[in-house]
């Protein structure tokens, strides 16, 4: 073989996934996928109950979402499945119109997500401040823990030592070896103890019956009419927005944890495709799951699409082939895993006294409002929106005071020069009009904006009002120093913003 035939193999090796050539990565990804699959089963069943559907509907959704998003998603190692947020949105639709309408809404929500993804909705992520992101993460950790409280209430006393033992295993075992994920070892050991000693505690099987066969594709059982569309459209739109927001926030969180970048536009479109496929397979839809994603990425150390794919594949294998064994897993084992996840997810540095002393009051307020809103509503999307709006108000209030006006009178008292410094927009421009001496200024007034920037129509209207007030007193105004964008905006709008 000639030497010229060798180089093309190098790019092919570069495109090969790490897990194909690295046994350690392969082991990590496979075991991580297995742990996530075990954690997905009770969660999917619980969310099915919230949505008012058969447990199989939630489990099928978790299977198809994970498998599809592992191929078309933009964030590697992120887990998408049936979620509580989506369940809350579509529960009223299922209750009032039945499963057929719910499935149709899932498919329509997927189409909406694809459209929003193509239109660039992912770019809006850059407008979410860090304080909102920290609040989102801390609220999520609190919600994960709160979701475990019912599993620790009114239960046999044996549940508590099992949870404590599971936590101890996950804390101590990594000090010995990280070859096997501590959560998986904890689940196996606690299951062996409860089964071997015949300890009567709540198990996965108590949550609902596991499916015994794979899902079959089909069309939703609804009349394909305009009336059906108008019925499902509001629920589909709400589901699309909530799902995208949770997924994009989760992707950003994983980006930060792994120090890698992900394609948010691809993730948006991928979420839509996954929901469309899920709908045609009779699933309840879903989005990214932060709890399971943290198990996969932060606790188990997964970094590739393989773990996501295997999480969905193992889920069905466990349900269909090992249903009786999985049903015997004590809920205490999974509760211990989720408590560990909530502890690892919470940003403890953000609430340390040293940090709070240095943090601006506005930033602390935004973080607190985000946390309070999410915890109160159990809806991450509402908290993020409310926190972002609060952050914008705080920012606008802060920047509004940065516009300053300095007056200089010529020695011959023929010209008054006003130098404006800062950002001119709706908040700061409101105070601008009152900072000029209309009654006592000379006949010529110069407003120097070389150190300022005009951002909106409110600022142009304020400048027009200043010129009008001087004109009423027979004085002329000259505006100088406009940068190109400001001059362009001022030229288009001046004189057009008030009625004549």
């Amino acid at each position: 073989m000639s030497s010229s035939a060798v180089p093309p193999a190098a790019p092919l090796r570069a495109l090969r996934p790490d897990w194909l050539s690295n046994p350690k990565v392969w082991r990590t990804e496979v075991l991580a996928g297995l742990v996530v699959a075990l954690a997905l089963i009770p969660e999917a069943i619980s969310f099915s109950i919230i949505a008012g559907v058969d447990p199989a509907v939630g489990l099928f959704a978790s299977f198809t979402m994970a498998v599809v998003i592992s191929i078309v998603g933009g964030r590697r190692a992120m887990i998408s499945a049936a979620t509580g947020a989506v369940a809350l949105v579509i529960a009223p639709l299922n209750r009032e119109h039945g499963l057929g309408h719910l499935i149709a809404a899932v498919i329509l929500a997927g189409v909406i997500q694809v459209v929003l993804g193509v239109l660039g909705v992912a770019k809006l992520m850059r407008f979410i401040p860090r304080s909102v992101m920290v609040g989102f993460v801390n609220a999520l950790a609190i919600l994960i823990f709160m979701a475990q409280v019912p599993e620790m209430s009114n239960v046999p006393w044996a549940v508590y030592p099992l949870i404590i033992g599971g936590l101890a295993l996950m804390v101590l075992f990594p000090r010995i070896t990280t070859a096997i994920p501590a959560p998986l070892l904890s689940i196996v050991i606690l299951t062996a103890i409860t089964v071997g000693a015949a300890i009567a505690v709540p198990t996965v099987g108590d949550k609902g019956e596991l499916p015994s066969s794979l899902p079959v594709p089909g069309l939703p059982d609804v009349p394909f009419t305009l009336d059906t569309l108008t019925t499902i459209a509001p629920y589909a739109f709400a589901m699309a927005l909530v799902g995208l927001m949770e997924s994009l926030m989760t992707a950003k969180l994983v980006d930060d944890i792994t120090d890698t970048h992900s394609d948010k536009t691809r993730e948006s479109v991928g979420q839509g495709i996954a929901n469309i496929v899920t709908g045609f397979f009779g699933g309840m839809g879903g989005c990214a799951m932060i709890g399971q994603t943290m198990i996969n990425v932060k606790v188990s150390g997964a970094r590739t699409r393989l773990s996501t794919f295997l999480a969905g594949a193992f889920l069905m294998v466990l349900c269909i082939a090992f249903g009786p064994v999985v049903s015997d897993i004590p809920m205490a084992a999974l509760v211990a895993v989720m408590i560990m996840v909530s502890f690892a997810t919470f940003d403890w540095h953000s609430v340390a006294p040293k940090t709070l002393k240095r943090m601006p009051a506005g930033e602390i307020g935004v973080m607190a409002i985000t946390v309070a809103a999410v915890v109160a509503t159990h809806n991450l999307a509402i908290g993020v929106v409310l926190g972002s709006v609060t952050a914008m108000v705080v920012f606008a209030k802060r920047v509004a005071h940065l516009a300053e006006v300095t007056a200089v009178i010529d020695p011959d008292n023929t010209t008054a020069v006003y130098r404006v410094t800062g950002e001119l927009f709706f908040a700061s421009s409101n105070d601008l009009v009152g900072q000029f001496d209309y009654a006592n200024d000379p006949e010529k007034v110069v407003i120097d904006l070389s150190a300022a920037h005009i951002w909106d129509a409110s600022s142009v209207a304020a400048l027009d009002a200043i010129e009008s007030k001087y004109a009423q007193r027979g004085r002329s105004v000259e505006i100088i120093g406009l940068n190109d964008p400001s001059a362009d905006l001022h030229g288009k709008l001046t004189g057009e913003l008030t009625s004549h």
Side-chain angles (χ1 to χ4, degrees):
M1 182 181 294
S2 65
S3 59
S4 60
V6 176
L12 291 177
R13 283 196 298 270
L15 293 173
R16 181 185 299 173
D18 291 340
W19 51 267
L20 277 179
S21 55
N22 190 325
K24 185 178 180 180
V25 173
W26 167 268
R27 183 177 64 246
T28 298
E29 299 297 311
V30 171
L31 294 177
L34 180 57
V35 175
V36 172
L38 290 169
L40 277 175
I41 293 173
E43 294 269 304
I45 295 174
S46 298
F47 298 147
S48 299
I49 295 171
I50 293 174
V53 298
D54 188 83
V57 176
L59 289 165
F60 288 158
S62 295
F63 162 60
T64 52
M65 286 291 298
V67 169
V68 174
I69 205 66
S70 69
I71 300 169
V72 300
R75 173 66 257 177
R76 292 181 297 172
M78 190 166 76
I79 305 297
S80 290
T83 60
V86 169
L88 288 170
V89 170
I90 60 178
L93 178 63
N94 179 66
R95 188 167 54 248
E96 296 171 16
H97 299 280
L99 181 61
H101 282 74
L102 183 152
I103 299 301
V106 170
I107 296 172
L108 179 58
V111 173
I112 293 172
Q113 287 178 328
V114 171
V115 173
L116 291 175
V118 172
L119 293 177
V121 69
K123 295 178 181 178
L124 295 177
M125 283 297 297
R126 60 185 171 179
F127 294 107
I128 297 179
R130 182 185 179 279
S131 53
V132 174
M133 189 69 189
V134 173
F136 165 81
V137 170
N138 289 346
L140 173 69
I142 294 170
L143 287 184
I144 292 173
F145 181 82
M146 288 175 61
Q148 312 315 309
V149 173
E151 305 296 339
M152 297 184 284
S153 305
N154 301 316
V155 293
W157 68 269
V159 167
Y160 303 110
L162 286 172
I163 293 175
I164 293 171
L167 291 171
L169 282 169
M170 285 183 283
V171 171
L172 299 176
F173 188 73
R175 299 180 181 180
I176 301 172
T177 179
T178 56
I180 301 174
L184 178 59
L185 182 78
S186 176
I187 292 170
V188 171
I189 291 177
L190 294 186
T191 302
I193 291 173
T194 54
V195 173
I199 302 174
V201 292
T203 64
V204 170
D206 295 331
K207 288 290 184 180
E209 186 178 353
L210 301 180
S212 57
S213 61
L214 289 171
V216 179
L219 295 174
D221 184 17
V222 294
F224 293 89
T225 62
L226 182 60
D227 184 55
T228 299
L229 180 61
T230 55
T231 299
I232 67 173
Y235 296 95
F237 190 69
M239 176 186 163
L241 291 181
V242 169
L244 277 184
M245 186 167 293
E246 287 209 30
S247 299
L248 293 176
M249 290 291 284
T250 305
K252 190 173 187 300
L253 177 59
V254 177
D255 288 354
D256 293 340
I257 292 173
T258 61
D259 291 326
T260 57
H261 175 72
S262 61
D263 188 338
K264 304 302 187 301
T265 296
R266 178 177 173 179
E267 184 61 41
S268 301
V269 174
Q271 288 290 328
I273 295 172
N275 273 305
I276 292 171
V277 173
T278 296
F280 282 120
F281 276 90
M284 59 180 274
C287 61
M289 295 189 74
I290 299 198
Q292 273 64 23
T293 298
M294 290 299 100
I295 293 176
N296 197 46
V297 174
K298 203 164 188 179
V299 179
S300 300
R303 291 293 183 271
T304 76
R305 298 179 184 274
L306 180 63
S307 58
T308 306
F309 176 85
L310 290 178
F314 282 148
L315 174 65
M316 280 293 98
V317 172
L318 290 169
C319 290
I320 296 171
F322 301 98
V325 177
V326 173
S327 295
D328 287 335
I329 295 175
M331 285 301 301
L334 298 175
V335 168
V337 171
M338 297 312 292
I339 290 176
M340 182 62 72
V341 168
S342 70
F343 184 85
T345 301
F346 196 91
D347 186 348
W348 296 101
H349 176 72
S350 67
V351 295
K354 186 177 180 180
T355 303
L356 294 177
K357 285 181 181 179
R358 297 180 177 180
M359 190 78 69
E363 301 283 316
I364 297 174
V366 169
M367 182 177 69
I369 288 173
T370 303
V371 172
V374 171
V375 173
T377 63
H378 283 231
N379 190 319
L380 295 165
I382 290 176
V384 170
V385 170
L386 188 58
S388 298
V389 170
T390 304
M392 291 176 188
V393 172
V394 171
F395 174 75
K397 186 177 179 181
R398 185 183 302 165
V399 176
H401 299 291
L402 297 181
E404 298 180 353
V405 178
T406 305
V408 179
I409 305 296
D410 272 1
D412 56 1
N413 203 34
T414 59
T415 304
V417 178
Y418 287 89
R419 181 176 177 81
V420 181
T421 304
E423 309 300 318
L424 300 181
F425 65 113
F426 62 89
S428 60
S429 60
N430 287 334
D431 298 330
L432 191 65
V433 179
Q435 298 190 51
F436 293 82
D437 190 356
Y438 304 101
N440 300 313
D441 278 342
E443 292 185 359
K444 185 177 180 182
V445 177
V446 175
I447 301 176
D448 183 2
L449 297 178
S450 56
H453 187 98
I454 298 176
W455 288 104
D456 60 5
S458 297
S459 302
V460 177
L463 292 172
D464 284 353
I466 294 169
E467 290 189 78
S468 178
K469 287 179 178 293
Y470 276 117
Q472 291 172 6
R473 294 168 172 79
R475 293 168 174 81
S476 63
V477 175
E478 180 184 3
I479 297 175
I480 64 172
L482 288 170
N483 57 35
D484 291 342
S486 298
D488 185 55
L489 184 63
H490 185 266
K492 289 179 180 177
L493 297 180
T494 185
E496 302 294 333
L497 299 174
T498 57
S499 57
H500 299 285

